[in-house]
Amino acid sequence: MSHLFEHNGAEGRGYNQPPPIVGADKLRFPAGLVRKSLPKWPRISEPEMVRHYTWLSSRNFGIDTGFYPLGSCTMKHNPRVNEVIAQLPGIADIHPLQPEHHIQGTLSIFHEMQDMLAICAGMDSVTLQPVAGAQGEFTAIRCIQEYFRSNGELNRTKVIVPDSAHGTNPASAAMAGFEIIEIPSKEDGRIDLEALRAVVGDDTAAMMITNPSTLGVFEPEIAEAADIVHQAGGQMYYDGANFNAILGRTSPGLMGFDAVHYNLHKTFSQPHGGGGPGSGPIGVKAHLAEYLPGPMVKRRPILPDDKLSNVNVEWWYTWHTPENSIGKVQQWHGNSGAVIRCWAYYRRYGKELKTMSEHAVLNANYLRHRIMEEAKVAGVRHLFEDGAPVEVVKHEFTLSLGPLKEERGVGAMDIAKGLLDKGYMAPTVYFPLIVPECMMVEPTETESKEVLDEFAKNFVEVLQEDPDVLHEAPTSTPVRRVDEVYAARNLTLSYPFEEE
Ligand SMILES: *Cc1c(COP(=O)(O)O)cnc(C)c1O
């Protein structure tokens, strides 16, 4: 029985509703909105429902069931202390419209989070509103747009992105109405300053870039790139999705950036996957702060009139929206559950964040070398070449399976599917687009040497697998190989009840 609606078991209700606050007889709905027939609720008892959902959950793959080296996504372990804190009643049971004097604790958490994020990125002001990295990009780009509009610089209509950029960068800038100028990377995948110089001008609004890049390599010339863009009067935007590689070591502020988004769900261990739930705060330098979306939290020393008689606190916290704000980008106060979890993580591990990023980098380099070594021993060295021709990577690395594809007709997708049969989540494939038959691997700091060794061994076994077997893979998963284009274009989002 794969679907709740297909159950026709015991008569009963798997869930007991509390009695309605307002009786049905007191409600008046326009006739057109009233149901003509009863909803088609499944006939299911509580034990059947429990079994159904438990069964469904066991068919999912997640970070709690296995290694999840999905490059660019930073699928790290979510320390359970985050969950304990997020579910404390004083935090979980409040309503967004509660008056400020009821929620001083939550406001202080938000305030601390704003401060902490500003410090670790070298920024002056942070808003927690956006709920995804992509939304953070759009928000920051809109702030930059308002900044130029209020300076009367309406000519700044272009946003520069390197060809290795994450797809959301050009998409966010285009959504805000900018024209996208793509610049090619150098042979080694790094930013080409000559190409940058050739395109900057008085029509440049911003450059969007991530460092380390989507190839997992650090851009040593980033400060110079920032100078070039600033001299032309443009702004520098830092895609902070790769923060896990540099946290505590350097910061976008030091590299010369004006604005940054954070992926709390990547760097700060908020669990995520399948599109959510996320949080993508942005930080900006002082000159952009007045455009940030509210509400943000600010504080002032507590006054005798503030009347929290039994609590001895120093500060009074309030919501506020900056003067020339671009407006809200999300309902209520952003994704507060994600913010709270990240705050819990930061309070628990704050002093070790530098070690965290160092271990993420160490794990990526270790795994990369293990895969290379294993491949050599197995005699398949010539079947793939390293996509990133550098000795040391940051928190992730790319492999090009171009030669394997040519020689044996086995591409990155086949290897990815073969890995599923070994019980792993596949690495990211075909991104960044500039690497042929690309696989992008990000182990994160929360995996042990044992896990990495085992993965390297299995990875090479899959490389050596019979191509015919790989073309058919996966064979052990609940769903076999799907037609991805069809699956993306023809979504089935509701249960197809038979018409009566
Ligand atoms: C994940 C990611 C984003 C977008 O973040 P979302 O939270 O998924 O919207 C942007 N840039 C890079 C490099 C990323 O890895």
Side-chain angles (χ1 to χ4, degrees):
M1 203 64 71
S2 64
H3 227 286
L4 200 57
F5 295 110
E6 283 154 27
H7 282 277
N8 199 12
E11 191 87 51
R13 282 177 300 173
Y15 176 67
N16 284 321
Q17 299 266 20
I21 301 169
V22 182
D25 52 325
K26 302 244 167 45
L27 294 173
R28 273 201 193 97
F29 295 111
L33 294 181
V34 177
R35 282 185 177 284
K36 299 195 177 47
S37 57
L38 283 176
K40 292 179 171 122
W41 282 321
R43 215 169 105 145
I44 190 164
S45 65
E46 182 168 311
E48 285 168 323
M49 189 175 74
V50 169
R51 272 182 214 142
H52 177 79
Y53 283 110
T54 306
W55 170 80
L56 266 188
S57 73
S58 73
R59 286 162 64 96
N60 266 348
F61 189 89
I63 180 76
D64 291 348
T65 45
F67 185 42
Y68 208 122
L70 194 63
S72 203
C73 292
T74 316
M75 302 300 288
K76 62 167 76 175
H77 172 68
N78 165 233
R80 292 306 186 259
V81 63
N82 299 359
E83 298 305 314
V84 174
I85 305 269
Q87 281 160 35
L88 291 175
I91 288 175
D93 294 348
I94 58 175
H95 189 278
L97 282 179
Q98 247 166 288
E100 282 168 358
H101 67 274
H102 284 183
I103 53 165
Q104 285 294 299
T106 301
L107 289 175
S108 73
I109 290 176
F110 270 49
H111 187 269
E112 200 167 308
M113 203 60 201
Q114 289 171 192
D115 263 5
M116 175 264 172
L117 290 173
I119 291 167
C120 67
M123 293 288 133
D124 296 318
S125 201
V126 166
T127 178
L128 304 170
Q129 269 263 304
V131 297
Q135 195 180 30
E137 292 170 23
F138 175 74
T139 306
I141 282 293
R142 280 282 300 114
C143 292
I144 288 172
Q145 193 170 44
E146 283 312 306
Y147 167 76
F148 284 129
R149 281 180 184 164
S150 55
N151 289 353
E153 295 183 76
L154 302 178
N155 48 313
R156 298 200 176 270
T157 55
K158 294 183 178 162
V159 168
I160 301 167
V161 294
D163 60 3
S164 65
H166 195 261
T168 51
N169 292 185
S172 309
M175 263 181 74
F178 286 102
E179 187 185 329
I180 311 303
I181 308 294
E182 189 180 277
I183 55 167
S185 306
K186 286 194 302 196
E187 285 265 288
D188 64 1
R190 291 191 164 107
I191 180 175
D192 183 343
L193 293 183
E194 285 319 307
L196 178 60
R197 279 199 189 89
V199 297
V200 292
D202 60 9
D203 56 359
T204 302
M207 175 173 199
M208 299 177 84
I209 186 169
T210 185
N211 190 24
S213 73
T214 47
L215 293 166
V217 296
F218 194 79
E219 301 277 7
E221 294 180 318
I222 196 70
E224 214 176 328
D227 276 349
I228 294 170
V229 172
H230 283 147
Q231 271 163 26
Q235 297 283 294
M236 285 295 280
Y237 178 80
Y238 184 91
D239 176 332
N242 294 342
F243 220 9
N244 213 43
I246 61 157
L247 201 61
R249 281 245 150 198
T250 180
S251 77
L254 282 175
M255 295 177 212
F257 285 85
D258 304 286
V260 49
H261 84 255
Y262 313 80
N263 293 73
L264 295 192
H265 45 292
K266 294 181 183 171
T267 317
F268 299 95
S269 82
Q270 154 75 22
H272 63 119
S279 181
I282 63 170
V284 295
K285 289 276 177 68
H287 63 282
L288 294 172
E290 64 185 286
Y291 306 105
L292 289 175
M296 294 161 61
V297 179
K298 68 177 181 187
R299 70 177 188 185
R300 59 167 170 76
I302 201 150
L303 302 172
D305 278 358
D306 290 330
K307 298 222 176 64
L308 282 176
S309 50
N310 55 346
V311 192
N312 187 17
V313 286
E314 241 182 295
W315 301 99
W316 185 257
Y317 297 89
T318 54
W319 293 119
H320 90 111
T321 297
E323 204 180 334
N324 295 316
S325 171
I326 60 163
K328 279 168 87 75
V329 294
Q330 192 57 222
Q331 74 277 32
W332 306 119
H333 312 118
N335 193 349
S336 64
V339 172
I340 302 283
R341 281 186 187 82
C342 298
W343 175 81
Y345 180 73
Y346 147 70
R347 287 306 296 245
R348 171 63 185 81
Y349 297 101
K351 287 191 179 140
E352 296 159 67
L353 291 182
K354 183 160 164 251
T355 315
M356 169 195 97
S357 52
E358 285 170 354
H359 283 192
V361 171
L362 179 64
N363 273 3
N365 281 283
Y366 177 77
L367 182 58
R368 179 166 172 262
H369 282 278
R370 274 318 300 263
I371 288 179
M372 298 309 227
E373 257 168 48
E374 290 272 350
K376 224 184 295 180
V377 173
V380 293
R381 177 80 174 89
H382 64 293
L383 288 182
F384 71 104
E385 66 191 14
D386 193 0
V390 282
E391 270 315 301
V392 182
V393 293
K394 287 287 177 248
H395 63 306
E396 61 193 355
F397 59 94
T398 53
L399 299 166
S400 170
L401 305 187
L404 183 67
K405 175 92 182 178
E406 261 168 47
E407 260 179 60
R408 296 176 55 203
V410 171
M413 187 59 82
D414 298 313
I415 300 300
K417 300 297 184 193
L419 282 168
L420 301 184
D421 279 334
K422 294 274 191 187
Y424 293 108
M425 177 69 192
T428 299
V429 287
Y430 301 105
F431 176 76
L433 301 170
I434 51 176
V435 178
E437 295 298 323
C438 184
M439 286 200 120
M440 188 185 208
V441 185
E442 178 177 10
T444 83
E445 72 282 4
T446 57
E447 299 300 336
S448 69
K449 180 172 175 297
E450 185 188 8
V451 172
L452 302 182
D453 287 341
E454 194 61 22
F455 178 74
K457 188 173 127 277
N458 278 286
F459 189 92
V460 173
E461 275 173 27
V462 174
L463 286 178
Q464 292 171 297
E465 185 61 85
D466 179 352
D468 291 339
V469 171
L470 287 175
H471 294 321
E472 290 298 311
T475 53
S476 62
T477 49
V479 176
R480 298 283 306 273
R481 194 179 288 215
V482 291
D483 177 339
E484 312 211 345
V485 176
Y486 184 87
R489 295 278 181 274
N490 300 282
L491 295 176
T492 310
L493 296 176
S494 55
Y495 186 75
F497 286 111
E498 277 167 34
E499 291 298 324
E500 278 164 19

